[in-house]
Amino acid sequence: MTRHIDMDTILPADADRAVLVGRVWQPASAAGVGGVGGPTLVTVRDGMLVDIGALAPTVSALLAFDDCAERVRRARGPSLGPLRAWLDDTCAHGADPAHRHLLAPNDLQVVKAAGVTFANSMLERVIEERARGDAGSAAAIRESIAGIVGDSLAALRPGSPEAMRVKAVLVAQGLWSQYLEVGIGPDAEIFTKAAPLASVGAGADVGLHPMSTWNNPEPEIVLAVAPNGHIVGAALGNDVNLRDVEGRSALLLGKAKDNNASCSIGPWIRLCDAHFGIADIEAADLTLRVEGDDGFVLDGTSTMKQISRSPHELVANAMGPHHQYPDGIMLFCGTLFAPVKDRDAPGAGFTHHLGDRVAIASPKLGALVNWVGDCTQLPPWNFGIGALMTNLAQRGLLHPPP
Protein backbone atom coordinates (compact mmCIF):
# COMPACT_ATOMS: atom_id res chain seq x y z
CA MET A 1 0.00 0.00 0.00
CA THR A 2 1.48 3.36 -1.04
CA ARG A 3 1.88 5.62 1.95
CA HIS A 4 0.07 8.92 1.70
CA ILE A 5 -1.49 11.41 4.09
CA ASP A 6 -4.06 13.85 2.76
CA MET A 7 -3.06 17.46 3.37
CA ASP A 8 -6.70 18.49 3.80
CA THR A 9 -7.59 15.90 6.44
CA ILE A 10 -4.52 16.24 8.65
CA LEU A 11 -5.61 19.78 9.53
CA PRO A 12 -8.77 20.75 11.46
CA ALA A 13 -11.77 21.75 9.37
CA ASP A 14 -11.40 25.27 10.78
CA ALA A 15 -7.63 25.37 10.43
CA ASP A 16 -7.67 29.06 9.59
CA ARG A 17 -8.55 29.90 13.20
CA ALA A 18 -7.03 26.94 15.06
CA VAL A 19 -3.94 27.48 17.22
CA LEU A 20 -1.83 24.38 16.57
CA VAL A 21 1.42 23.28 18.17
CA GLY A 22 3.53 20.48 16.75
CA ARG A 23 7.05 19.14 16.67
CA VAL A 24 9.19 18.20 13.70
CA TRP A 25 12.61 16.65 13.32
CA GLN A 26 15.13 18.67 11.33
CA PRO A 27 18.12 16.62 10.18
CA ALA A 28 21.62 18.00 10.59
CA SER A 29 21.77 18.68 6.86
CA ALA A 30 18.90 21.18 7.18
CA ALA A 31 19.70 22.61 10.60
CA GLY A 32 20.45 26.27 10.85
CA VAL A 33 21.92 26.38 14.37
CA GLY A 34 25.45 25.02 14.50
CA GLY A 35 24.70 22.29 11.99
CA VAL A 36 23.03 20.17 14.66
CA GLY A 37 19.65 18.64 13.85
CA GLY A 38 16.89 17.93 16.31
CA PRO A 39 13.28 18.50 17.36
CA THR A 40 11.74 21.88 16.62
CA LEU A 41 8.48 23.40 17.85
CA VAL A 42 6.20 24.47 15.00
CA THR A 43 2.79 25.88 14.25
CA VAL A 44 0.81 25.74 10.99
CA ARG A 45 -0.21 28.82 9.04
CA ASP A 46 -1.74 28.79 5.56
CA GLY A 47 -0.39 25.32 4.88
CA MET A 48 3.15 26.23 5.94
CA LEU A 49 5.13 25.07 8.97
CA VAL A 50 6.52 27.93 11.03
CA ASP A 51 9.38 27.49 13.52
CA ILE A 52 8.25 28.82 16.94
CA GLY A 53 11.18 27.41 18.90
CA ALA A 54 12.02 30.89 20.19
CA LEU A 55 8.98 30.70 22.48
CA ALA A 56 10.26 27.81 24.58
CA PRO A 57 12.76 24.96 24.29
CA THR A 58 10.06 22.31 24.80
CA VAL A 59 6.33 21.94 24.30
CA SER A 60 5.92 21.16 27.99
CA ALA A 61 7.53 24.51 28.88
CA LEU A 62 5.36 26.32 26.35
CA LEU A 63 2.13 24.83 27.70
CA ALA A 64 3.05 25.94 31.23
CA PHE A 65 2.48 29.59 30.24
CA ASP A 66 -0.94 30.88 31.26
CA ASP A 67 -1.30 32.54 27.86
CA CYS A 68 0.28 29.82 25.72
CA ALA A 69 -2.37 30.02 22.98
CA GLU A 70 -1.94 33.76 22.61
CA ARG A 71 1.85 33.44 22.56
CA VAL A 72 1.64 30.94 19.72
CA ARG A 73 -0.86 33.11 17.86
CA ARG A 74 1.50 36.11 18.02
CA ALA A 75 4.73 34.17 17.42
CA ARG A 76 6.95 34.98 14.50
CA GLY A 77 9.60 32.65 13.17
CA PRO A 78 11.21 31.31 10.04
CA SER A 79 9.16 29.25 7.62
CA LEU A 80 10.14 25.60 7.34
CA GLY A 81 8.29 25.16 4.07
CA PRO A 82 5.02 23.58 2.98
CA LEU A 83 3.38 21.04 5.26
CA ARG A 84 2.69 18.98 2.13
CA ALA A 85 6.41 18.40 1.62
CA TRP A 86 6.90 17.39 5.25
CA LEU A 87 4.06 14.88 4.99
CA ASP A 88 5.56 13.36 1.85
CA ASP A 89 8.97 13.01 3.47
CA THR A 90 7.48 11.50 6.63
CA CYS A 91 5.54 8.92 4.62
CA ALA A 92 8.61 8.11 2.51
CA HIS A 93 11.22 7.82 5.27
CA GLY A 94 9.37 7.37 8.54
CA ALA A 95 11.31 8.36 11.65
CA ASP A 96 14.74 8.22 10.01
CA PRO A 97 16.81 11.00 11.68
CA ALA A 98 18.62 11.57 8.38
CA HIS A 99 15.37 12.93 6.92
CA ARG A 100 12.89 15.53 8.09
CA HIS A 101 9.66 14.21 9.54
CA LEU A 102 6.78 14.95 11.86
CA LEU A 103 7.07 14.03 15.53
CA ALA A 104 4.50 13.59 18.25
CA PRO A 105 3.52 17.08 19.48
CA ASN A 106 4.38 16.31 23.13
CA ASP A 107 7.80 15.92 24.68
CA LEU A 108 8.56 15.98 28.44
CA GLN A 109 4.99 15.23 29.54
CA VAL A 110 4.37 11.77 31.00
CA VAL A 111 1.71 10.08 28.88
CA LYS A 112 -1.11 8.77 31.08
CA ALA A 113 -4.29 6.99 30.07
CA ALA A 114 -7.72 6.53 31.60
CA GLY A 115 -9.17 3.08 31.08
CA VAL A 116 -12.71 1.75 31.03
CA THR A 117 -14.40 5.13 30.63
CA PHE A 118 -17.18 3.97 28.27
CA ALA A 119 -19.82 1.33 28.98
CA ASN A 120 -19.32 -0.56 25.69
CA SER A 121 -15.54 -0.79 25.99
CA MET A 122 -15.92 -1.66 29.68
CA LEU A 123 -17.92 -4.75 28.73
CA GLU A 124 -15.30 -5.68 26.14
CA ARG A 125 -12.68 -5.62 28.89
CA VAL A 126 -14.87 -7.95 30.96
CA ILE A 127 -15.13 -10.22 27.92
CA GLU A 128 -11.34 -10.22 27.44
CA GLU A 129 -10.91 -11.13 31.08
CA ARG A 130 -13.41 -14.00 30.98
CA ALA A 131 -12.03 -15.24 27.66
CA ARG A 132 -8.53 -15.32 29.17
CA GLY A 133 -7.20 -13.68 26.02
CA ASP A 134 -8.78 -16.21 23.64
CA ALA A 135 -10.42 -14.31 20.77
CA GLY A 136 -12.32 -17.40 19.63
CA SER A 137 -14.42 -17.63 22.78
CA ALA A 138 -15.22 -13.91 22.99
CA ALA A 139 -18.40 -13.97 20.89
CA ALA A 140 -20.25 -16.45 23.13
CA ILE A 141 -19.21 -14.60 26.29
CA ARG A 142 -20.30 -11.29 24.76
CA GLU A 143 -23.75 -12.67 24.02
CA SER A 144 -24.24 -14.10 27.51
CA ILE A 145 -23.15 -10.91 29.30
CA ALA A 146 -25.29 -8.70 27.05
CA GLY A 147 -28.31 -10.85 27.87
CA ILE A 148 -27.86 -10.19 31.58
CA VAL A 149 -26.58 -6.59 31.64
CA GLY A 150 -28.24 -5.11 28.54
CA ASP A 151 -27.97 -1.32 28.34
CA SER A 152 -28.29 -0.75 32.07
CA LEU A 153 -24.69 0.39 32.52
CA ALA A 154 -24.58 3.13 29.89
CA ALA A 155 -26.41 5.79 31.92
CA LEU A 156 -24.77 5.10 35.28
CA ARG A 157 -22.64 7.78 36.87
CA PRO A 158 -19.55 6.12 38.35
CA GLY A 159 -19.56 6.07 42.14
CA SER A 160 -23.23 7.08 42.43
CA PRO A 161 -25.68 5.24 44.73
CA GLU A 162 -27.34 3.78 41.61
CA ALA A 163 -24.01 2.44 40.42
CA MET A 164 -23.36 0.84 43.79
CA ARG A 165 -26.76 -0.88 43.65
CA VAL A 166 -25.93 -2.28 40.20
CA LYS A 167 -22.59 -3.45 41.59
CA ALA A 168 -24.40 -5.37 44.33
CA VAL A 169 -26.63 -7.10 41.76
CA LEU A 170 -23.67 -8.05 39.56
CA VAL A 171 -21.74 -9.42 42.53
CA ALA A 172 -24.76 -11.53 43.48
CA GLN A 173 -24.89 -12.94 39.92
CA GLY A 174 -21.18 -13.69 39.85
CA LEU A 175 -20.49 -11.10 37.16
CA TRP A 176 -18.33 -8.68 39.10
CA SER A 177 -15.01 -7.76 37.53
CA GLN A 178 -12.06 -5.45 38.18
CA TYR A 179 -13.06 -3.64 34.97
CA LEU A 180 -16.58 -2.99 36.25
CA GLU A 181 -15.03 -1.71 39.47
CA VAL A 182 -13.20 1.12 37.69
CA GLY A 183 -15.97 1.57 35.13
CA ILE A 184 -18.79 2.30 37.56
CA GLY A 185 -16.97 2.52 40.89
CA PRO A 186 -15.74 5.74 42.55
CA ASP A 187 -12.14 5.61 41.28
CA ALA A 188 -11.01 5.88 37.66
CA GLU A 189 -8.32 3.64 36.22
CA ILE A 190 -5.28 5.78 35.41
CA PHE A 191 -2.12 4.15 34.09
CA THR A 192 1.10 5.23 32.41
CA LYS A 193 0.87 4.62 28.68
CA ALA A 194 4.31 5.86 27.65
CA ALA A 195 7.36 7.61 29.00
CA PRO A 196 8.26 11.17 27.98
CA LEU A 197 9.47 11.33 24.36
CA ALA A 198 8.43 7.73 23.59
CA SER A 199 5.32 8.63 21.56
CA VAL A 200 5.35 8.62 17.77
CA GLY A 201 3.59 11.13 15.55
CA ALA A 202 1.59 11.20 12.33
CA GLY A 203 3.03 9.16 9.48
CA ALA A 204 5.13 6.88 11.67
CA ASP A 205 4.67 3.16 12.28
CA VAL A 206 2.96 2.12 15.50
CA GLY A 207 4.32 -1.01 17.12
CA LEU A 208 2.70 -4.35 17.94
CA HIS A 209 4.49 -6.87 20.11
CA PRO A 210 5.01 -10.03 18.01
CA MET A 211 3.70 -12.23 20.83
CA SER A 212 0.17 -10.85 20.28
CA THR A 213 -2.42 -12.44 18.00
CA TRP A 214 -5.44 -10.40 19.16
CA ASN A 215 -4.99 -6.63 19.17
CA ASN A 216 -6.57 -3.41 18.02
CA PRO A 217 -6.25 0.36 17.71
CA GLU A 218 -7.99 2.57 20.25
CA PRO A 219 -8.99 6.00 18.89
CA GLU A 220 -9.01 8.55 21.68
CA ILE A 221 -8.94 12.22 22.61
CA VAL A 222 -5.72 13.10 24.41
CA LEU A 223 -5.80 16.02 26.83
CA ALA A 224 -2.81 18.35 27.08
CA VAL A 225 -2.63 19.21 30.77
CA ALA A 226 -0.38 21.94 32.18
CA PRO A 227 1.57 21.48 35.45
CA ASN A 228 -1.16 23.35 37.34
CA GLY A 229 -3.75 20.78 36.23
CA HIS A 230 -5.47 23.03 33.67
CA ILE A 231 -6.51 21.46 30.37
CA VAL A 232 -4.85 23.69 27.78
CA GLY A 233 -5.43 21.71 24.60
CA ALA A 234 -6.17 18.37 22.99
CA ALA A 235 -4.83 15.99 20.36
CA LEU A 236 -5.78 12.68 18.81
CA GLY A 237 -4.26 9.45 20.03
CA ASN A 238 -3.99 5.76 19.23
CA ASP A 239 -3.68 3.73 22.43
CA VAL A 240 -2.50 0.56 20.67
CA ASN A 241 -3.75 -2.40 22.69
CA LEU A 242 -2.91 -6.11 22.91
CA ARG A 243 -6.25 -7.65 23.87
CA ASP A 244 -4.93 -11.17 24.36
CA VAL A 245 -2.14 -10.06 26.69
CA GLU A 246 -4.33 -7.92 28.95
CA GLY A 247 -7.06 -10.56 28.79
CA ARG A 248 -4.71 -13.16 30.29
CA SER A 249 -4.19 -10.94 33.32
CA ALA A 250 -4.77 -7.26 34.09
CA LEU A 251 -1.35 -7.35 35.78
CA LEU A 252 0.09 -7.59 32.25
CA LEU A 253 -1.30 -4.15 31.40
CA GLY A 254 2.19 -2.71 31.02
CA LYS A 255 3.15 -5.36 28.45
CA ALA A 256 -0.19 -4.91 26.67
CA LYS A 257 0.05 -1.13 26.45
CA ASP A 258 3.67 0.05 26.57
CA ASN A 259 5.96 -1.24 23.84
CA ASN A 260 8.22 0.39 21.29
CA ALA A 261 6.12 2.85 19.22
CA SER A 262 2.85 1.62 20.75
CA CYS A 263 1.68 5.16 21.56
CA SER A 264 0.76 7.57 18.78
CA ILE A 265 -0.27 11.19 19.42
CA GLY A 266 -0.93 14.00 16.99
CA PRO A 267 -0.86 15.38 14.50
CA TRP A 268 -0.98 18.55 16.63
CA ILE A 269 -2.00 19.81 20.02
CA ARG A 270 -4.84 22.23 19.39
CA LEU A 271 -4.68 24.87 22.12
CA CYS A 272 -7.78 26.06 23.93
CA ASP A 273 -8.90 29.56 23.02
CA ALA A 274 -12.09 31.41 22.06
CA HIS A 275 -12.65 28.96 19.18
CA PHE A 276 -11.86 25.68 20.93
CA GLY A 277 -12.41 24.64 24.53
CA ILE A 278 -13.65 22.03 26.96
CA ALA A 279 -17.15 22.04 25.43
CA ASP A 280 -15.65 21.08 22.06
CA ILE A 281 -13.60 18.32 23.67
CA GLU A 282 -16.64 16.93 25.50
CA ALA A 283 -18.65 16.90 22.25
CA ALA A 284 -15.91 15.52 20.00
CA ASP A 285 -16.76 12.69 17.60
CA LEU A 286 -13.98 10.46 16.31
CA THR A 287 -13.87 8.19 13.29
CA LEU A 288 -11.51 5.28 12.75
CA ARG A 289 -10.61 3.55 9.50
CA VAL A 290 -8.29 0.57 9.22
CA GLU A 291 -7.23 -0.50 5.71
CA GLY A 292 -5.15 -3.63 5.21
CA ASP A 293 -2.97 -4.81 2.38
CA ASP A 294 -5.34 -7.80 2.26
CA GLY A 295 -8.24 -5.54 1.22
CA PHE A 296 -9.83 -5.66 4.66
CA VAL A 297 -11.51 -2.41 5.78
CA LEU A 298 -12.77 -1.64 9.27
CA ASP A 299 -14.68 1.53 10.10
CA GLY A 300 -15.44 2.55 13.65
CA THR A 301 -16.48 5.53 15.72
CA SER A 302 -16.07 6.88 19.21
CA THR A 303 -17.65 9.91 20.81
CA MET A 304 -16.84 11.83 23.94
CA LYS A 305 -20.56 12.45 24.39
CA GLN A 306 -20.91 8.96 25.91
CA ILE A 307 -17.97 9.10 28.28
CA SER A 308 -18.84 8.25 31.88
CA ARG A 309 -16.40 10.69 33.52
CA SER A 310 -15.75 14.27 32.39
CA PRO A 311 -12.28 15.38 31.26
CA HIS A 312 -11.93 17.38 34.48
CA GLU A 313 -12.77 14.29 36.56
CA LEU A 314 -10.18 12.24 34.72
CA VAL A 315 -7.50 14.89 35.25
CA ALA A 316 -8.39 15.11 38.95
CA ASN A 317 -7.89 11.35 39.25
CA ALA A 318 -4.49 11.59 37.54
CA MET A 319 -2.95 14.65 39.20
CA GLY A 320 -3.55 17.12 41.99
CA PRO A 321 -2.56 17.36 45.67
CA HIS A 322 -1.96 13.60 45.65
CA HIS A 323 0.42 13.65 42.64
CA GLN A 324 2.18 16.51 40.87
CA TYR A 325 3.62 16.55 37.34
CA PRO A 326 5.97 19.53 36.94
CA ASP A 327 6.17 19.03 33.16
CA GLY A 328 2.43 18.40 32.75
CA ILE A 329 0.83 15.28 31.32
CA MET A 330 -0.85 14.03 28.18
CA LEU A 331 -3.97 12.10 29.22
CA PHE A 332 -5.77 9.61 26.95
CA CYS A 333 -9.49 9.77 27.78
CA GLY A 334 -10.46 6.23 26.74
CA THR A 335 -12.51 4.97 23.82
CA LEU A 336 -16.00 3.79 23.00
CA PHE A 337 -14.61 1.74 20.09
CA ALA A 338 -14.41 -2.04 20.54
CA PRO A 339 -13.85 -3.95 17.26
CA VAL A 340 -15.77 -7.18 16.80
CA LYS A 341 -15.79 -7.51 12.99
CA ASP A 342 -14.32 -10.84 11.92
CA ARG A 343 -11.17 -10.65 9.85
CA ASP A 344 -9.26 -13.91 9.63
CA ALA A 345 -11.93 -16.46 10.55
CA PRO A 346 -15.60 -16.55 11.58
CA GLY A 347 -15.95 -15.76 15.25
CA ALA A 348 -12.31 -14.69 15.59
CA GLY A 349 -13.07 -10.97 15.67
CA PHE A 350 -10.65 -8.27 14.55
CA THR A 351 -6.91 -8.19 14.88
CA HIS A 352 -4.26 -6.14 13.11
CA HIS A 353 -2.07 -7.29 10.24
CA LEU A 354 1.33 -5.74 9.76
CA GLY A 355 1.09 -2.97 7.21
CA ASP A 356 -2.40 -1.83 8.22
CA ARG A 357 -3.10 1.86 7.70
CA VAL A 358 -4.89 3.38 10.69
CA ALA A 359 -6.57 6.80 10.39
CA ILE A 360 -8.19 8.48 13.40
CA ALA A 361 -9.98 11.76 12.68
CA SER A 362 -12.08 14.43 14.35
CA PRO A 363 -13.25 17.63 12.62
CA LYS A 364 -11.62 20.09 15.04
CA LEU A 365 -8.39 18.12 15.50
CA GLY A 366 -7.57 16.83 12.02
CA ALA A 367 -6.42 13.27 11.34
CA LEU A 368 -3.77 11.06 12.91
CA VAL A 369 -2.53 8.51 10.37
CA ASN A 370 -0.12 5.66 11.15
CA TRP A 371 0.89 2.29 9.77
CA VAL A 372 1.25 -0.88 11.83
CA GLY A 373 4.59 -2.60 12.31
CA ASP A 374 6.38 -5.11 14.53
CA CYS A 375 7.69 -3.21 17.56
CA THR A 376 10.87 -5.29 17.59
CA GLN A 377 11.62 -4.36 13.98
CA LEU A 378 10.84 -0.64 14.15
CA PRO A 379 13.57 1.94 14.84
CA PRO A 380 14.50 1.65 18.53
CA TRP A 381 13.62 4.52 20.84
CA ASN A 382 16.96 6.05 21.78
CA PHE A 383 16.24 9.79 22.01
CA GLY A 384 15.31 10.24 25.65
CA ILE A 385 15.41 13.14 28.09
CA GLY A 386 19.20 13.14 28.39
CA ALA A 387 19.60 13.18 24.61
CA LEU A 388 17.06 16.00 24.31
CA MET A 389 18.80 18.17 26.89
CA THR A 390 22.17 17.62 25.23
CA ASN A 391 20.67 18.41 21.83
CA LEU A 392 18.98 21.61 23.00
CA ALA A 393 22.21 22.76 24.66
CA GLN A 394 24.21 22.11 21.49
CA ARG A 395 21.72 24.18 19.53
CA GLY A 396 21.73 27.02 22.05
CA LEU A 397 18.05 26.60 22.81
CA LEU A 398 18.21 26.17 26.59
CA HIS A 399 17.41 29.61 27.89
CA PRO A 400 15.27 31.22 30.60
CA PRO A 401 11.62 31.70 29.61
CA PRO A 402 10.84 35.12 28.06
Side-chain angles (χ1 to χ4, degrees), residues 15 19 23 34 127 172 227 280 289 300 327 331 335 347 350 394 398:
V19 181
R23 293 168 64 244
I127 291 163
D280 297 289
R289 187 171 180 86
D327 295 303
L331 178 58
T335 183
F350 169 83
Q394 290 175 335
L398 287 181

Side-chain angles (χ1 to χ4, degrees), residues 153-241:
L153 298 178
L156 285 181
R157 181 173 178 78
S160 67
E162 292 80 7
M164 295 304 96
R165 284 193 287 272
V166 170
K167 173 181 177 178
V169 171
L170 292 172
V171 169
Q173 295 181 347
L175 277 178
W176 190 245
S177 158
Q178 58 203 330
Y179 295 105
L180 290 169
E181 175 64 47
V182 296
I184 66 175
D187 300 306
E189 178 193 18
I190 304 291
F191 60 91
T192 298
K193 171 64 181 178
L197 295 168
S199 305
V200 299
D205 282 5
V206 291
L208 291 177
H209 198 293
M211 71 184 299
S212 175
T213 59
W214 186 24
N215 44 68
N216 65 280
E218 292 191 354
E220 304 187 25
I221 295 291
V222 186
L223 305 175
V225 187
N228 61 7
H230 292 169
I231 299 169
V232 296
L236 296 169
N238 185 356
D239 177 12
V240 180
N241 182 47

Side-chain angles (χ1 to χ4, degrees), residues 221-224 231-235 270 272 276-286 303-305 307 311 333 364-365:
I221 295 291
V222 186
L223 305 175
I231 299 169
V232 296
R270 180 168 183 173
C272 295
F276 181 77
I278 296 300
D280 297 289
I281 295 172
E282 292 178 328
D285 294 325
L286 291 81
T303 176
M304 290 288 286
K305 300 183 188 78
I307 198 167
C333 290
K364 292 197 174 183
L365 294 172

